[in-house]
């Protein structure tokens, strides 16, 4: 574990309570971003559920990990939509398929979700669930909160904010308006996340004055060799490597409450695929006043350090390995974590 520079003591979280975040729901068990996946995450003890948000053609926010929907819906099986298959440049990357912004909400509602990783997680639930809107998710979480007798937070991610703004479909004000319109999200914990920088700074200015004291902001961080999408669009030089330095973290603290780094930037993999010693990232973030909400823990062998594998099949479900891995990161002082299997995350947290 990382020892702080100031004292010979382990790094501790600065959050009052370490949170379990249901990554896209409980997507190790059910197709991601469906109400069923969110329901399972809540039942399994998640403190927050995460809807990634993209826009429809008619300006409705829906939950999909990407605006390319061919990999997570049955759109390819709908002959009436075949002609909409196309290629686009999304944040500097060429992507082919079908895109949310080319469909109205009514059209998306005729589709059904399917498993994004079928070879790993099966197809048992394909075709059963609709694409959910943010409004539907908030209403659902409000009902679930009442039913289970505890407050459940929502941690929406604005996907490709600059891209959608250029299409005339900006999400930032629409998101704030939706959150304000629902009585549940006017009081329950909300944390808005983005891999971009400018939209979080804009949201910070809109949140000034304390009208939305329940809303916090999370700066997501990509790989060290990558840049935020809005920086790429503007031709800027800022990259995630610079943002993860002590100076960069202090800059983030001026507009965000937490960072969301990849788990391997906190504890990298060393020789032989085992966990190496922690980097200074958690300590430096805490020193800047930022919580660390790490992503993503997954229960299959292929996502875990090789020395924790159960057998030699990368597809094997490995709860014990996941728990060991999560506990190592908890010992490194993280304040919250995203997991595809919230029940394992909750168990790892309770058994520390």
């Amino acid at each position: 574990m990382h020892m702080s520079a100031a004292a010979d003591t382990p790094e501790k979280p600065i959050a009052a309570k370490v949170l379990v975040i249901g990554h896209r729901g409980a997507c190790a068990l059910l197709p991601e971003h469906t109400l069923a996946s969110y329901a399972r995450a809540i039942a399994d003890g998640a403190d927050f559920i995460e809807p990634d948000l993209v826009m429809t053609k008619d300006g409705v926010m829906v939950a999909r990990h990407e605006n390319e929907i061919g990999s997570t819906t049955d759109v390819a099986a709908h002959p009436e939509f075949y002609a909409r298959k196309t290629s686009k440049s999304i944040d500097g990357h060429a992507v082919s398929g079908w895109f949310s912004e080319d469909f109205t909400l009514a059209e998306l509602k005729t589709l059904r979700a399917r498993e994004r990783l079928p070879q790993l997680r099966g197809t048992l639930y394909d075709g059963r669930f609709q694409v959910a809107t943010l409004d539907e998710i908030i209403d659902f979480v409000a009902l679930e909160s009442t039913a289970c007798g505890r407050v459940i937070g929502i941690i929406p991610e604005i996907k490709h904010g600059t891209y959608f703004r250029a299409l005339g479909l900006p999400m930032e004000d629409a998101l704030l308006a939706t959150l304000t319109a629902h009585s549940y999200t006017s009081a329950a914990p909300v944390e808005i996340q983005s891999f971009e920088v400018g939209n979080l700074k804009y949201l910070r200015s809109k949140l000034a004055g304390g009208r939305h004291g329940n809303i916090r902001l999370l700066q997501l961080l990509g790989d060290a060799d990558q840049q935020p999408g809005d920086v790429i669009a503007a031709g800027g030089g800022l990259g995630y490597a610079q943002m993860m330095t002590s100076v960069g973290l202090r800059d983030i603290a001026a507009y965000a409450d937490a960072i969301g780094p990849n788990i391997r930037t906190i504890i990298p993999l060393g020789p032989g695929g085992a966990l190496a010693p922690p980097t200074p990232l958690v300590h430096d973030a805490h020193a800047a006043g930022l919580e660390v909400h790490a992503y993503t823990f997954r229960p299959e062998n292929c996502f875990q350090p090789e020395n924790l594998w159960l057998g030699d099949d990368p597809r094997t479900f490995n709860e014990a390995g996941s728990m060991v891995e999560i506990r190592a990161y908890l010992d490194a002082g993280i304040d919250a974590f995203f997991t595809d299997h919230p029940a394992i995350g909750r168990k790892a947290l309770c058994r520390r």
Side-chain angles (χ1 to χ4, degrees):
M1 68 184 62
H2 178 74
M3 299 307 221
S4 72
D8 189 26
T9 56
E11 188 66 30
K12 299 287 188 184
I14 60 173
K17 174 189 175 186
V18 176
L19 300 174
V20 177
I21 302 170
H23 183 239
R24 312 179 199 177
C27 63
L29 302 170
L30 288 150
E32 64 188 35
H33 293 310
T34 59
L35 294 184
S37 185
Y38 296 135
R40 182 62 185 266
I42 292 165
D44 286 348
D47 297 296
F48 275 70
I49 57 103
E50 182 210 27
D52 292 330
L53 300 177
V54 297
M55 279 292 218
T56 67
K57 185 176 184 178
D58 46 348
V60 180
M61 289 172 287
V62 297
R64 292 287 90 190
H65 180 244
E66 290 294 338
N67 56 325
E68 197 292 299
I69 58 174
S71 61
T72 60
T73 73
D74 61 359
V75 64
H78 287 251
E80 67 271 27
F81 297 137
Y82 186 77
R84 296 194 201 177
K85 187 175 184 180
T86 187
S87 296
K88 302 189 181 192
S89 178
I90 313 294
D91 294 346
H93 300 283
V95 183
S96 296
W98 292 263
F99 296 85
S100 67
E101 64 269 20
D102 296 330
F103 292 77
T104 65
L105 177 62
E107 289 172 330
L108 285 181
K109 283 294 187 179
T110 68
L111 308 180
R112 292 298 179 267
R114 67 181 182 91
E115 173 55 51
R116 187 175 58 89
L117 302 172
Q119 293 179 318
L120 186 65
R121 293 175 173 169
T123 58
L124 176 63
Y125 297 102
D126 282 13
R128 299 194 187 187
F129 309 117
Q130 291 187 340
V131 174
T133 68
L134 177 60
D135 284 302
E136 290 168 344
I137 292 166
I138 295 171
D139 285 342
F140 178 74
V141 172
L143 289 171
E144 290 289 296
S145 175
T146 299
C148 69
R150 64 184 178 89
V151 177
I152 299 147
I154 301 176
I155 182 163
E157 179 185 344
I158 296 172
K159 302 292 294 192
H160 310 299
T162 295
Y163 171 83
F164 278 110
R165 195 174 305 112
L167 296 179
L169 295 168
M171 271 188 274
E172 292 74 17
D173 286 311
L175 176 54
L176 284 182
T178 299
L179 294 171
T180 303
H182 288 263
S183 60
Y184 185 78
T185 43
S186 66
V190 175
E191 190 161 276
I192 301 172
Q193 47 176 340
S194 176
F195 279 101
E196 296 192 359
V197 176
N199 59 354
L200 291 178
K201 290 183 175 179
Y202 172 77
L203 286 167
R204 175 56 69 204
S205 71
K206 298 287 284 189
L207 295 173
R211 277 189 58 239
H212 305 281
N214 62 310
I215 300 177
R216 304 205 306 163
L217 301 179
L218 171 66
Q219 175 68 68
L220 292 166
L221 299 169
D223 294 340
D225 61 348
Q226 296 177 330
Q227 290 182 287
D230 57 327
V231 175
I232 294 172
L238 180 67
Y240 291 120
Q242 181 182 341
M243 294 170 71
M244 285 186 273
T245 65
S246 56
V247 173
L249 292 165
R250 288 197 294 273
D251 290 341
I252 293 171
Y255 62 86
D257 302 285
I259 58 167
N262 186 303
I263 55 176
R264 302 303 180 217
T265 63
I266 295 169
I267 305 179
L269 298 180
L275 293 173
T279 69
L281 181 59
V282 174
H283 174 75
D284 291 346
H286 287 169
L290 293 163
E291 292 184 12
V292 178
H293 299 187
Y295 69 88
T296 304
F297 295 107
R298 298 182 166 102
E300 295 90 2
N301 270 346
C302 57
F303 299 114
Q304 298 175 25
E306 287 184 40
N307 67 316
L308 299 180
W309 280 29
L310 179 65
D312 56 8
D313 186 341
R315 298 169 298 178
T316 297
F317 183 90
N318 180 8
E319 176 175 334
S322 186
M323 286 185 61
V324 171
E325 181 183 29
I326 292 170
R327 284 199 295 260
Y329 284 82
L330 291 170
D331 288 345
I334 62 173
D335 301 279
F337 60 95
F338 294 81
T339 171
D340 286 5
H341 198 302
I344 295 176
R346 174 59 59 199
K347 192 182 295 186
L349 191 56
C350 290
R351 289 190 182 178
R352 287 185 68 219

